[in-house]
Amino acid sequence: MSTSLEDNYRHKGLRKQLVDLLRTKGITDEAVLNAINEVPRHVFLDSSFVELAYQDKAFPIGSGQTISQPNTVAFQTQLLKVEKGMKVLEIGTGSGYQACVLAALGAKVFSIERQRNLFFKTKEILEQLPFKVKTFLGDGYEGLPTYQPFDRIIITAGAPSIPEALVKQMKVGGIMVIPMDNAEGDGQTMLRVTKMDDGSLKKEEFGDFKFVPMLKEIGND
Ligand code: SAH
């Protein structure tokens, strides 16, 4: 894969247009839109896809995985209500794009990827970018016991249920955004889960999405 880290005026112009498009699609949080404007999405794709990097589309990133559609990244990020300095755990590093958007918001980002090749490929790209993201090869179902508790948790793969270990690693008042498999088995419903003072979970639903599945254990598949 050849990736170009150059971020020229054309890229910046295309990014501005993407931000305007996301506004028309209902993204209203200015901090989130600024973060999208700041992160060069084309560096996460093979250089032959530069033309397409700023369209509102998901894309293959190798190893059978995809970089989420910008509108989905913006939507999940907006639901997460990130504030500067918060500890945010991401499950499913993938390309690293979502993680950088969170870092651009001033979050301390911890991101787990289970797919070995993707983990190493993305780590290399992230090391060359100014966004502070700590990456981990591991199984997102287990979270990161060493670094808990987290203010926010974002899952970027379709989950069959709310992982218990992740609820435990979330602060009281903390928020988890999780695309949860629907009963029909043809996609996910976006859930925002808030951990209340008494430990109970408040759940809110935000529409239908399609994600690659959240799988168990580290793998080379
Ligand atoms: N956030 C990514 C989107 C990645 S797609 C981006 O911005 O590009 C979902 C990712 O979740 C895939 O890379 C997949 O390998 C990973 N994944 C699936 N199950 C996982 C698990 N149990 N733990 C960690 N990562 C997982």
Side-chain angles (χ1 to χ4, degrees), residues 204-220:
E204 302 164 274
E205 291 189 4
F206 293 92
D208 300 327
F209 290 83
K210 269 211 160 66
F211 284 80
V212 297
M214 184 167 172
L215 304 173
K216 289 216 189 287
E217 298 169 357
I218 294 170
N220 299 308

Side-chain angles (χ1 to χ4, degrees), residues 61 65-68 73 90-99 112-115 118 138-141 156-157 211-217:
I61 49 172
Q65 301 303 328
T66 52
I67 177 172
S68 300
V73 171
E90 179 191 31
I91 310 301
T93 314
S95 67
Y97 176 67
Q98 168 78 73
I112 310 178
E113 173 57 54
R114 66 168 286 283
Q115 215 287 333
L118 199 51
D139 181 351
Y141 280 100
T156 66
F211 284 80
V212 297
M214 184 167 172
L215 304 173
K216 289 216 189 287
E217 298 169 357

Side-chain angles (χ1 to χ4, degrees), residues 108-149:
K108 293 181 197 129
V109 185
F110 301 76
S111 185
I112 310 178
E113 173 57 54
R114 66 168 286 283
Q115 215 287 333
R116 202 180 298 270
N117 296 333
L118 199 51
F119 169 79
F120 286 110
K121 191 163 97 179
T122 296
K123 192 176 169 63
E124 204 182 308
I125 296 175
L126 288 175
E127 277 164 4
Q128 299 170 67
L129 293 172
F131 304 102
K132 274 205 169 160
V133 176
K134 281 195 167 72
T135 56
F136 301 83
L137 176 64
D139 181 351
Y141 280 100
E142 290 165 20
L144 286 176
T146 322
Y147 294 89
Q148 61 148 340

Side-chain angles (χ1 to χ4, degrees), residues 80 87-91 150-155 165-167 169-170 175-178:
L80 206 58
K87 273 170 70 183
V88 180
L89 173 64
E90 179 191 31
I91 310 301
F150 296 98
D151 298 284
R152 300 288 186 259
I153 299 181
I154 177 170
I155 301 185
L166 298 186
V167 172
Q169 293 174 27
M170 197 157 84
I175 293 173
M176 178 192 298
V177 172
I178 171 171

Side-chain angles (χ1 to χ4, degrees), residues 53-72:
Y54 294 107
Q55 296 186 5
D56 189 22
K57 288 188 177 145
F59 247 87
I61 49 172
S63 310
Q65 301 303 328
T66 52
I67 177 172
S68 300
Q69 190 176 336
N71 190 45
T72 305

